[in-house]
Amino acid sequence: MYKSFSMELAGRTLTVDVGRVAAQANGAAFMHYGDTVVVSTATASDKPREGIDFFPLSVEYEEKLYAVGKIPGGFIKREGKASENAILTSRVIDRPMRPLFPKDYRNDVTLNNLVMCVDQDCSPELTAMLGSAIATAISDIPFDGPTASTMVGMVDGELVFNPTSAQREKSILSLTVASTKEKVIMIEAGAYELPEDKMIEAIFAAHELNQKVIAFIETIVAEYGKPKHDYIKCDTPEELYADMVAFITPEAMEEAVFTDVKQVREENIRVITDKLNERYKETHPEWIPLLGEAIYKFEKKTVRKMILKDHKRPDGREITQIRHLAAEVDILPRTHGSAMFTRGQTQVLTVTTLGALAEIQKLDGIDENEKTKRYMHHYNFPSYSVGETKPSRGPGRREIGHGALAEKALVPVLPPEEEFPYAIRTVSEVLESNGSTSQGSICASTLSLMAAGVPIKSMVAGISVGLVTGETDDDYIILTDIQGLEDFFGDMDFKVAGTHKGITAIQMDIKIHGLTREIIEKAIYRTKEARTYILNDIMAPCISSPRPEVGPYSPKIVQIKIDPTKIGDVVGQRGKTINAIIEQTGVKIDITDDGSVSVCGVDSDSIQKAIKLIQTIVADFEEGQIFEGKVISIKDFGAFLEFAPGKEGMVHISKISKERVEKVEDVLTLGDMVKVVCLGKDKMGRISFSIKDVK
């Protein structure tokens, strides 16, 4: 027997079946939100994984196309690797869950979410977030939950919770907030330049709704929750830690880590590690494998103490001070647009490529609103950027996540397709990294788009602030522009991108059990101050506005409108006509169902030639119109001319010349280009043309 629990959530019914499916998992929830169905499970290994110094959590979000009544494309006809949306959803599920597991827990844990049915008005992503929280909370896996999540939109100035498909289409905000019983633990947002105060209002409206969901989950846990199992605690032995600190001394560790050069710090830590290896190889060889985690703990305590108590940052900056910034454009001579943005030891070069609308990305997923993507942002993080050596295996989840964040930040300022009929791709190459590469990629991408002549509405800049907390909620310090070490040892990476007008994207990662409203408000307004400085003092002096036109190596696109009923004439049977135009002119042609025709090419003359051919094909021949055609056939009674592929007409022998013509071949030869005037319809209803009457 199983039991169902239900609540009304944003006007729809959320139902959780416990004990119905996946009985061998540590915890399982059969989730229904409207007609969306997700199976969420939590499983853990019996023992810790040996030889690791981190918590091995895996989160999977599996999209099955049967959920929306589709058969997968391709030859194999089954789902393959995870889609970009699935990877991003896994990351959003992971971020609020990970901090709530014990810090010394080393057992493998997998949270799996299988999307089995989709109601487009009830987000499967949200359902999976709730499902993972419930499955883990009722399991025997140690977990300091539950959490709850809410999605927020804004339609006509009003907040809407867990918006429907129609509301998502109109919304200027896409916000997801996860909460514990006391605090906000995760924020993910995309917005169309939403002011900071409106964003804060939306965050805490979601937090309030989350409390109702948490109360609902607690009723399930109270009835079906398992006792949490014991586990082997993986922590540094106290004797080792005490001896190490006494031998190295806190002063020496402070001197080792407090430098603004990452390589120097790493070398200092290597020297300390060598000293400790030498010290223990004879007396305590069993401690040698534990040194990495012990030194990490010592280093972390040193950095956190100096920041929190002495307001001293590792590189000597003030708490609100941004690292040295630099920006430049046109780094690469023949690409469509390029720019480089440098922040301390973080350096990102972004390249913009423009293409015809036919090159937009087609999406084959479970969201019916997301079928194509006109703007694509890709982010690459090679090992050399952090001084390491390892082969590239393609983008991982982190790279995909950072690329999506920058994409989300820039979409709100891109020109509409009608104004700028291009597919747009930006690629951010991280050349050097010491923290905040995702925000550097946003700045570099903005500059690159402007250099490429993309008429973006406003410049976008991104900045990240960090946090170090003490024993109480009031004991904390917020750091502007965190570098790698501060991110590594700190409690928060709060990334915010936006324009002068407002926020376009947020992503918040934390390692503690949530943030108070005071911390969130201060962090958001701190990023606004930093963003304003970057936009005004660094980016604007580099390039103040988008270039008035695309560059010489960029494709040129001209759009015209034709009668939609004439699309078939332009395409021709089996594409014969349009392919002939492309072959003659070397352009690319895209036609939409509403009669919008985009002609793309590098050479303006070729574009104009193609447009003229298309306009000729769709023209209704009327008396007095002048055309130019090529002689393609000669008969005794006249000549046939081709004005455009698939568009032909005839000139009678009597209309070739003002002089008497005995034979057509005496005046015309195959391939001749001649001007003609339309004479209208003859007695049989055919269109006739004249060469001799051209004025």
Side-chain angles (χ1 to χ4, degrees):
M1 292 292 292
Y2 67 90
K3 185 167 183 179
S4 292
F5 299 82
S6 295
M7 72 172 288
E8 290 302 304
L9 181 59
R12 283 142 285 169
T13 302
L14 175 69
T15 300
V16 183
D17 294 343
V18 180
R20 187 176 185 183
V21 298
Q24 296 189 51
N26 295 64
F30 196 39
M31 305 291 298
H32 293 71
Y33 189 30
D35 285 339
T36 291
V37 180
V38 178
V39 176
S40 297
T41 59
T43 52
S45 61
D46 294 332
K47 297 178 181 179
R49 194 196 300 183
E50 291 185 8
I52 60 168
D53 57 1
F54 61 91
F55 169 44
L57 173 65
S58 299
V59 179
E60 303 297 335
Y61 176 82
E62 299 183 57
E63 297 173 319
K64 300 298 183 181
L65 290 185
Y66 58 67
V68 289
K70 290 183 182 179
I71 294 175
F75 181 77
I76 298 175
K77 297 296 181 184
R78 71 176 297 166
E79 290 84 2
K81 68 177 184 178
S83 69
E84 184 172 298
N85 179 69
I87 290 170
L88 297 175
T89 302
S90 297
R91 285 170 59 85
V92 170
I93 295 170
D94 181 299
R95 296 212 311 273
M97 299 287 288
R98 187 178 290 271
L100 299 178
F101 290 93
K103 294 189 182 303
D104 58 352
Y105 193 53
R106 296 293 180 266
N107 297 45
D108 282 275
V109 173
T110 299
L111 307 181
N112 190 282
N113 296 275
L114 177 61
V115 180
M116 304 193 76
C117 188
V118 174
D119 173 351
Q120 295 295 333
D121 287 337
C122 299
S123 163
E125 293 88 354
L126 175 75
T127 308
M129 291 186 76
L130 295 173
S132 284
I134 293 170
T136 310
I138 65 175
S139 76
D140 62 341
I141 303 170
F143 179 68
D144 195 11
T147 65
S149 302
T150 294
M151 292 181 171
V152 188
M154 182 175 282
V155 179
D156 298 327
E158 298 294 325
L159 296 178
V160 290
F161 299 102
N162 299 342
T164 64
S165 177
Q167 289 171 330
R168 290 196 299 271
E169 281 284 281
K170 299 177 184 176
S171 180
I172 63 167
L173 171 67
S174 176
L175 169 68
T176 303
V177 178
S179 306
T180 64
K181 198 169 183 178
E182 291 85 21
K183 299 175 182 177
V184 172
I185 197 165
M186 195 280 298
I187 302 170
E188 177 95 9
Y192 282 75
E193 300 180 277
L194 195 69
E196 279 70 13
D197 59 338
K198 293 292 183 183
M199 183 65 79
I200 292 168
E201 177 189 343
I203 290 169
F204 286 95
H207 178 62
E208 186 176 338
L209 181 55
N210 281 339
Q211 300 313 305
K212 297 178 182 178
V213 181
I214 287 173
F216 167 67
I217 296 173
E218 285 179 332
T219 64
I220 303 174
V221 175
E223 186 166 345
Y224 270 88
K226 301 175 183 177
K228 299 302 181 184
H229 65 230
D230 292 327
Y231 64 94
I232 299 172
K233 300 181 185 298
C234 298
D235 199 5
T236 303
E238 291 184 9
E239 186 184 355
L240 163 60
Y241 189 79
D243 185 81
M244 175 185 65
V245 172
F247 176 65
I248 298 298
T249 74
E251 293 77 17
M253 178 58 80
E254 182 182 329
E255 185 178 345
V257 298
F258 279 77
T259 171
D260 61 351
V261 181
K262 178 182 173 184
Q263 292 87 341
V264 171
R265 179 168 55 250
E266 290 173 348
E267 176 60 21
N268 292 342
I269 296 300
R270 188 193 65 77
V271 170
I272 287 174
T273 303
D274 289 345
K275 287 181 179 179
L276 291 170
N277 274 307
E278 185 66 28
R279 177 176 176 81
Y280 299 134
K281 69 179 181 181
E282 299 293 341
T283 57
H284 290 286
E286 73 279 8
W287 286 356
I288 299 294
L290 307 176
L291 277 181
E293 194 160 354
I295 294 169
Y296 166 85
K297 184 177 179 180
F298 189 12
E299 196 177 353
K300 181 177 181 177
K301 283 190 173 184
T302 302
V303 171
R304 291 176 63 86
K305 178 259 179 185
M306 293 302 295
I307 291 174
L308 187 62
K309 302 304 180 186
D310 303 329
H311 291 195
K312 181 180 177 182
R313 299 178 72 171
D315 56 7
R317 280 182 292 147
E318 298 295 326
I319 297 304
T320 60
Q321 186 179 350
I322 300 174
R323 286 170 287 175
H324 175 74
L325 303 176
E328 50 187 315
V329 296
D330 303 328
I331 302 294
L332 307 175
R334 298 178 75 92
T335 57
H336 301 166
S338 62
M340 190 159 67
F341 187 83
T342 305
R343 178 187 280 126
Q345 288 183 298
T346 292
Q347 187 177 65
V348 183
L349 192 157
T350 296
V351 182
T352 297
T353 305
L354 306 176
L357 290 173
E359 297 180 87
I360 62 175
Q361 184 178 1
K362 293 179 174 61
L363 305 175
D364 185 21
I366 60 176
D367 188 342
E368 291 182 355
N369 289 336
E370 298 288 336
K371 295 181 179 178
T372 60
K373 188 157 66 170
R374 173 181 166 231
Y375 173 60
M376 300 150 278
H377 184 277
H378 297 145
Y379 165 103
N380 297 315
F381 190 91
S383 58
Y384 63 75
S385 67
V386 289
E388 296 177 356
T389 174
K390 62 180 178 180
S392 174
R393 300 298 186 202
R397 292 191 169 196
R398 180 179 181 276
E399 285 85 351
I400 290 170
H402 280 6
L405 177 61
E407 187 174 287
K408 187 183 297 183
L410 290 160
V411 163
V413 302
L414 293 176
E417 187 178 303
E418 299 76 28
E419 180 185 335
F420 193 72
Y422 286 86
I424 308 167
R425 181 186 187 227
T426 50
V427 179
S428 290
E429 305 287 359
V430 177
L431 305 179
E432 187 178 4
S433 173
N434 189 12
S436 290
T437 53
S438 65
Q439 302 309 285
S441 75
I442 292 170
C443 298
S445 297
T446 298
L447 298 169
S448 180
L449 287 166
M450 294 167 70
V454 179
I456 60 174
K457 300 171 189 175
S458 306
M459 288 193 295
V460 181
I463 191 72
S464 182
V465 297
L467 175 75
V468 176
T469 58
E471 297 298 321
T472 66
D473 286 347
D474 296 328
D475 187 17
Y476 67 87
I477 191 164
I478 294 174
L479 306 171
T480 300
D481 179 27
I482 56 171
Q483 60 170 311
L485 190 71
E486 293 165 333
D487 181 11
F488 197 50
F489 293 140
D491 297 319
M492 175 180 79
D493 183 5
F494 201 130
K495 310 178 185 80
V496 182
T499 65
H500 283 300
K501 187 177 177 181
I503 293 169
T504 59
I506 294 178
Q507 187 176 94
M508 185 184 85
D509 293 317
I510 64 172
K511 301 171 188 172
I512 54 177
H513 286 202
L515 302 179
T516 63
R517 180 168 185 142
E518 180 182 275
I519 292 175
I520 290 173
E521 288 185 354
K522 285 185 177 180
I524 287 177
Y525 285 113
R526 182 76 67 81
T527 62
K528 180 175 175 59
E529 293 173 11
R531 185 172 80 237
T532 301
Y533 167 72
I534 295 168
L535 290 169
N536 289 343
D537 291 35
I538 307 301
M539 295 173 66
C542 178
I543 180 169
S544 58
S545 61
R547 291 194 169 129
E549 58 185 27
V550 298
Y553 299 104
S554 302
K556 314 299 184 292
I557 297 180
V558 177
Q559 270 195 332
I560 61 171
K561 292 282 285 188
I562 64 172
D563 183 344
T565 62
K566 299 289 183 72
I567 293 174
D569 296 338
V570 177
V571 175
Q573 188 175 18
R574 297 180 180 175
K576 181 178 178 181
T577 302
I578 196 169
N579 287 333
I581 299 173
I582 292 170
E583 186 176 343
Q584 285 184 33
T585 61
V587 301
K588 294 179 181 178
I589 302 172
D590 299 315
I591 306 177
T592 59
D593 292 340
D594 66 352
S596 296
V597 181
S598 296
V599 182
C600 173
V602 176
D603 179 54
S604 297
D605 290 340
S606 297
I607 293 173
Q608 292 305 317
K609 181 180 177 182
I611 289 173
K612 187 175 181 181
L613 291 172
I614 293 168
Q615 290 172 333
T616 301
I617 290 170
V618 301
D620 293 320
F621 289 141
E622 296 177 359
E623 186 176 349
Q625 288 180 313
I626 303 294
F627 295 95
E628 185 176 39
K630 181 170 73 171
V631 178
I632 59 171
S633 178
I634 295 175
K635 306 294 183 182
D636 291 341
F637 52 82
F640 285 91
L641 276 61
E642 183 183 63
F643 303 102
K647 198 77 168 182
E648 299 177 4
M650 190 196 78
V651 179
H652 191 268
I653 190 171
S654 64
K655 299 297 182 181
I656 292 176
S657 174
K658 293 180 180 181
E659 308 296 330
R660 179 176 175 79
V661 178
E662 295 291 341
K663 294 173 66 177
V664 176
E665 292 93 329
D666 293 340
V667 181
L668 298 175
T669 304
L670 289 175
D672 285 351
M673 297 297 297
V674 294
K675 283 188 176 181
V676 297
V677 61
C678 180
L679 300 178
K681 295 182 179 179
D682 61 18
K683 292 179 181 179
M684 298 180 66
R686 299 173 301 189
I687 303 293
S688 61
F689 297 88
S690 171
I691 297 174
K692 72 177 185 179
D693 294 316
V694 174
K695 295 179 181 179

Short mmCIF file of all heavy atoms in Angstrom, two decimals, residues 186-206:
data_model
loop_
_atom_site.label_atom_id
_atom_site.label_comp_id
_atom_site.label_asym_id
_atom_site.label_seq_id
_atom_site.Cartn_x
_atom_site.Cartn_y
_atom_site.Cartn_z
N MET A 186 19.07 29.23 -2.52
CA MET A 186 19.46 29.24 -3.94
C MET A 186 18.61 30.23 -4.71
O MET A 186 17.40 30.34 -4.48
CB MET A 186 19.30 27.84 -4.54
CG MET A 186 20.00 27.62 -5.88
SD MET A 186 19.13 28.25 -7.32
CE MET A 186 17.61 27.32 -7.30
N ILE A 187 19.25 30.97 -5.61
CA ILE A 187 18.56 31.92 -6.50
C ILE A 187 19.11 31.73 -7.90
O ILE A 187 20.32 31.69 -8.10
CB ILE A 187 18.77 33.39 -6.07
CG1 ILE A 187 18.28 33.62 -4.64
CG2 ILE A 187 18.05 34.33 -7.04
CD1 ILE A 187 18.68 34.98 -4.09
N GLU A 188 18.23 31.61 -8.86
CA GLU A 188 18.59 31.56 -10.28
C GLU A 188 17.60 32.45 -11.01
O GLU A 188 16.38 32.29 -10.85
CB GLU A 188 18.50 30.13 -10.81
CG GLU A 188 18.79 29.98 -12.28
CD GLU A 188 20.23 29.60 -12.57
OE1 GLU A 188 20.97 29.28 -11.61
OE2 GLU A 188 20.62 29.62 -13.74
N ALA A 189 18.09 33.41 -11.79
CA ALA A 189 17.16 34.35 -12.41
C ALA A 189 17.64 34.83 -13.76
O ALA A 189 18.84 34.97 -14.01
CB ALA A 189 16.94 35.57 -11.49
N GLY A 190 16.67 35.08 -14.63
CA GLY A 190 16.87 35.81 -15.86
C GLY A 190 15.78 36.86 -15.92
O GLY A 190 14.63 36.60 -15.53
N ALA A 191 16.11 38.08 -16.36
CA ALA A 191 15.11 39.15 -16.32
C ALA A 191 15.42 40.19 -17.39
O ALA A 191 16.55 40.33 -17.85
CB ALA A 191 15.10 39.82 -14.94
N TYR A 192 14.38 40.91 -17.77
CA TYR A 192 14.52 41.98 -18.75
C TYR A 192 14.73 43.30 -18.01
O TYR A 192 13.83 44.11 -17.85
CB TYR A 192 13.30 42.03 -19.66
CG TYR A 192 13.35 40.96 -20.73
CD1 TYR A 192 13.08 39.63 -20.42
CD2 TYR A 192 13.73 41.25 -22.04
CE1 TYR A 192 13.15 38.63 -21.38
CE2 TYR A 192 13.81 40.26 -23.01
CZ TYR A 192 13.52 38.95 -22.67
OH TYR A 192 13.60 37.96 -23.63
N GLU A 193 15.97 43.45 -17.51
CA GLU A 193 16.41 44.67 -16.83
C GLU A 193 15.47 45.04 -15.68
O GLU A 193 14.94 46.14 -15.60
CB GLU A 193 16.52 45.83 -17.83
CG GLU A 193 17.50 45.58 -18.96
CD GLU A 193 17.59 46.74 -19.93
OE1 GLU A 193 16.75 46.81 -20.84
OE2 GLU A 193 18.49 47.58 -19.78
N LEU A 194 15.29 44.11 -14.77
CA LEU A 194 14.41 44.32 -13.62
C LEU A 194 15.15 45.09 -12.53
O LEU A 194 16.25 44.72 -12.14
CB LEU A 194 13.93 42.97 -13.07
CG LEU A 194 12.75 43.01 -12.11
CD1 LEU A 194 11.48 43.41 -12.85
CD2 LEU A 194 12.57 41.66 -11.44
N PRO A 195 14.56 46.18 -12.02
CA PRO A 195 15.22 46.95 -10.94
C PRO A 195 15.48 46.08 -9.72
O PRO A 195 14.74 45.12 -9.44
CB PRO A 195 14.21 48.06 -10.64
CG PRO A 195 13.40 48.20 -11.88
CD PRO A 195 13.31 46.82 -12.47
N GLU A 196 16.51 46.45 -8.98
CA GLU A 196 16.93 45.65 -7.83
C GLU A 196 15.82 45.47 -6.80
O GLU A 196 15.64 44.37 -6.25
CB GLU A 196 18.15 46.30 -7.17
CG GLU A 196 19.48 46.02 -7.84
CD GLU A 196 19.65 46.70 -9.19
OE1 GLU A 196 18.84 47.61 -9.50
OE2 GLU A 196 20.59 46.33 -9.93
N ASP A 197 15.06 46.53 -6.50
CA ASP A 197 14.03 46.41 -5.48
C ASP A 197 12.92 45.45 -5.90
O ASP A 197 12.37 44.71 -5.07
CB ASP A 197 13.45 47.79 -5.14
CG ASP A 197 12.83 48.49 -6.35
OD1 ASP A 197 13.19 48.15 -7.49
OD2 ASP A 197 11.99 49.38 -6.14
N LYS A 198 12.61 45.39 -7.20
CA LYS A 198 11.59 44.47 -7.69
C LYS A 198 12.09 43.03 -7.62
O LYS A 198 11.33 42.10 -7.33
CB LYS A 198 11.21 44.82 -9.13
CG LYS A 198 10.49 46.15 -9.27
CD LYS A 198 9.11 46.11 -8.64
CE LYS A 198 8.35 47.39 -8.84
NZ LYS A 198 7.04 47.39 -8.15
N MET A 199 13.37 42.84 -7.89
CA MET A 199 13.95 41.50 -7.80
C MET A 199 13.92 41.01 -6.36
O MET A 199 13.55 39.85 -6.10
CB MET A 199 15.38 41.50 -8.33
CG MET A 199 16.04 40.13 -8.34
SD MET A 199 15.26 38.95 -9.48
CE MET A 199 15.95 39.51 -11.05
N ILE A 200 14.27 41.86 -5.42
CA ILE A 200 14.26 41.47 -4.01
C ILE A 200 12.84 41.13 -3.57
O ILE A 200 12.60 40.15 -2.85
CB ILE A 200 14.86 42.60 -3.15
CG1 ILE A 200 16.37 42.72 -3.44
CG2 ILE A 200 14.62 42.33 -1.66
CD1 ILE A 200 17.00 43.97 -2.86
N GLU A 201 11.88 41.93 -4.01
CA GLU A 201 10.47 41.65 -3.70
C GLU A 201 10.06 40.27 -4.21
O GLU A 201 9.40 39.50 -3.50
CB GLU A 201 9.58 42.73 -4.33
CG GLU A 201 8.09 42.51 -4.12
CD GLU A 201 7.24 43.47 -4.94
OE1 GLU A 201 7.78 44.50 -5.42
OE2 GLU A 201 6.04 43.20 -5.13
N ALA A 202 10.46 39.96 -5.43
CA ALA A 202 10.09 38.66 -6.02
C ALA A 202 10.75 37.51 -5.28
O ALA A 202 10.13 36.46 -5.03
CB ALA A 202 10.49 38.65 -7.50
N ILE A 203 12.02 37.68 -4.90
CA ILE A 203 12.75 36.62 -4.19
C ILE A 203 12.04 36.26 -2.89
O ILE A 203 11.82 35.08 -2.58
CB ILE A 203 14.20 37.05 -3.92
CG1 ILE A 203 15.00 37.10 -5.24
CG2 ILE A 203 14.87 36.10 -2.91
CD1 ILE A 203 16.36 37.77 -5.10
N PHE A 204 11.64 37.27 -2.14
CA PHE A 204 11.08 36.97 -0.82
C PHE A 204 9.58 36.64 -0.87
O PHE A 204 9.06 36.01 0.06
CB PHE A 204 11.43 38.08 0.16
CG PHE A 204 12.87 38.00 0.56
CD1 PHE A 204 13.84 38.74 -0.10
CD2 PHE A 204 13.28 37.09 1.53
CE1 PHE A 204 15.18 38.61 0.22
CE2 PHE A 204 14.61 36.95 1.86
CZ PHE A 204 15.57 37.70 1.20
N ALA A 205 8.92 36.99 -1.96
CA ALA A 205 7.56 36.48 -2.18
C ALA A 205 7.63 34.97 -2.42
O ALA A 205 6.81 34.20 -1.92
CB ALA A 205 6.91 37.19 -3.36
N ALA A 206 8.64 34.54 -3.19
CA ALA A 206 8.84 33.10 -3.41
C ALA A 206 9.23 32.40 -2.11
O ALA A 206 8.76 31.29 -1.81
CB ALA A 206 9.92 32.89 -4.47
#
